[in-house]
Amino acid sequence: MSPVLLALLAGAVVGLALGGMGGGGSLLAVPALVHLLGFAPVEATTASLVIVAITTATSLAAHGRDGNVRWRPGLLFAATGLLPAALGGLLAARLPAALLTAAFSVLAAVAAAGMLRTRDDTPRTGSTSIARAAGAGAGLGAVTGLLGVGGGFLGVPALVRVVGLPVRAAVGTSLLVIALTSTASLAARGGTLSSLDWAVVGPFTAAAVLGAWDGRRLAARISGRVLQRVFGAVLLTVAALMLLDALVPR
């Protein structure tokens, strides 16, 4: 199968995840770029940030029109993650590829375990601690910059539990946070953008943008719990493959 066709198929799946669940697409984008399209880990994380930043920005507009974006708490949450995202992006270029791959696999496994839990996330009651919200935003930014993931799979639960947003609003607001932190991390990695294979990244991104629109419509028809379990099972498989790749280099 040609690289462009693989990029289109993988991009569609990434877009479905981002549009339907407000995150998680980059956890599929990085391994797809590495294993299907032959990108080096650092190149894959940079390309993933490009794909995620553009896809979330376009999907954000639709969620905003639906009233599912809480702009003020989203901007405050994202602001604390901008510097950590930039620093993480700088650090990623200096770490061994095997270490990045292993860290990514562990993160994917943790995310999968959270999605496979039977308990649904519910908004926390009471006042929101500014310090807790700032800490969660900073941690999310650091993960975004270091591993090239948008962080929506962590951002949605944090916005629910720490900030107190309803789940639907947390999904929309997480797209705002992802777009900003991904852009900040890309700014730190600017020198690596020229080395990307844009003949692959371009179609991948276009398919992800279109897939995000379908994911948004799909999420309105299918139980969110079912979507989470399917995605969690896929992530566990991805985590195992990435960990094997880190332990047994090709």
Side-chain angles (χ1 to χ4, degrees), residues 18 47-58 175 178-180 182-183 186:
L18 282 169
S48 173
L49 287 170
V50 172
I51 295 162
V52 168
I54 294 174
T55 305
T56 52
T58 56
L175 294 174
I178 293 168
L180 293 174
S182 296
T183 301
L186 271 176

Side-chain angles (χ1 to χ4, degrees), residues 89-110:
L90 291 172
L91 179 61
R94 293 167 172 78
L95 293 178
L99 179 59
L100 286 176
T101 303
F104 186 95
S105 67
V106 171
L107 187 64
V110 170

Side-chain angles (χ1 to χ4, degrees), residues 30 33 41-51 147-148 186 189-190 192-193 196:
V30 172
L33 289 163
V42 173
E43 291 177 339
T45 56
T46 301
S48 173
L49 287 170
V50 172
I51 295 162
L147 299 180
L186 271 176
R189 297 183 183 218
T192 63
L193 290 174
L196 296 181

Side-chain angles (χ1 to χ4, degrees), residues 67-118:
N68 293 329
V69 179
R70 301 295 185 265
W71 298 96
R72 184 176 180 181
L75 289 171
L76 290 173
F77 193 85
T80 60
L82 294 181
L83 180 59
L87 293 176
L90 291 172
L91 179 61
R94 293 167 172 78
L95 293 178
L99 179 59
L100 286 176
T101 303
F104 186 95
S105 67
V106 171
L107 187 64
V110 170
M115 289 181 175
L116 290 171
R117 288 181 309 177
T118 56

Side-chain angles (χ1 to χ4, degrees), residues 1-11 28-40 43-44 47 51 197 199-201 203-204 250:
M1 189 178 294
S2 72
V4 172
L5 184 55
L6 284 173
L8 289 171
L9 292 174
L28 297 177
V30 172
L33 289 163
V34 171
H35 290 284
L36 296 180
L37 298 166
F39 280 53
E43 291 177 339
I51 295 162
D197 185 352
V200 172
V201 175
F204 199 123
R250 289 171 291 177

Side-chain angles (χ1 to χ4, degrees), residues 55-215:
T55 305
T56 52
T58 56
S59 185
L60 176 63
H63 281 270
R65 285 195 298 270
D66 291 342
N68 293 329
V69 179
R70 301 295 185 265
W71 298 96
R72 184 176 180 181
L75 289 171
L76 290 173
F77 193 85
T80 60
L82 294 181
L83 180 59
L87 293 176
L90 291 172
L91 179 61
R94 293 167 172 78
L95 293 178
L99 179 59
L100 286 176
T101 303
F104 186 95
S105 67
V106 171
L107 187 64
V110 170
M115 289 181 175
L116 290 171
R117 288 181 309 177
T118 56
R119 180 179 62 83
D120 291 329
D121 288 324
T122 54
R124 66 184 296 274
T125 57
S127 60
T128 299
S129 166
I130 295 177
R132 287 182 62 196
L140 181 64
V143 169
T144 296
L146 185 62
L147 299 180
V149 297
F153 66 97
L154 298 173
V156 171
L159 288 166
V160 170
R161 298 174 186 173
V162 179
V163 180
L165 297 183
V167 174
R168 190 174 295 275
V171 168
T173 305
S174 76
L175 294 174
L176 172 63
V177 177
I178 293 168
L180 293 174
T181 53
S182 296
T183 301
S185 181
L186 271 176
R189 297 183 183 218
T192 63
L193 290 174
S194 60
S195 64
L196 296 181
D197 185 352
W198 290 98
V200 172
V201 175
F204 199 123
T205 305
V209 169
L210 294 176
W213 287 84
D214 290 333

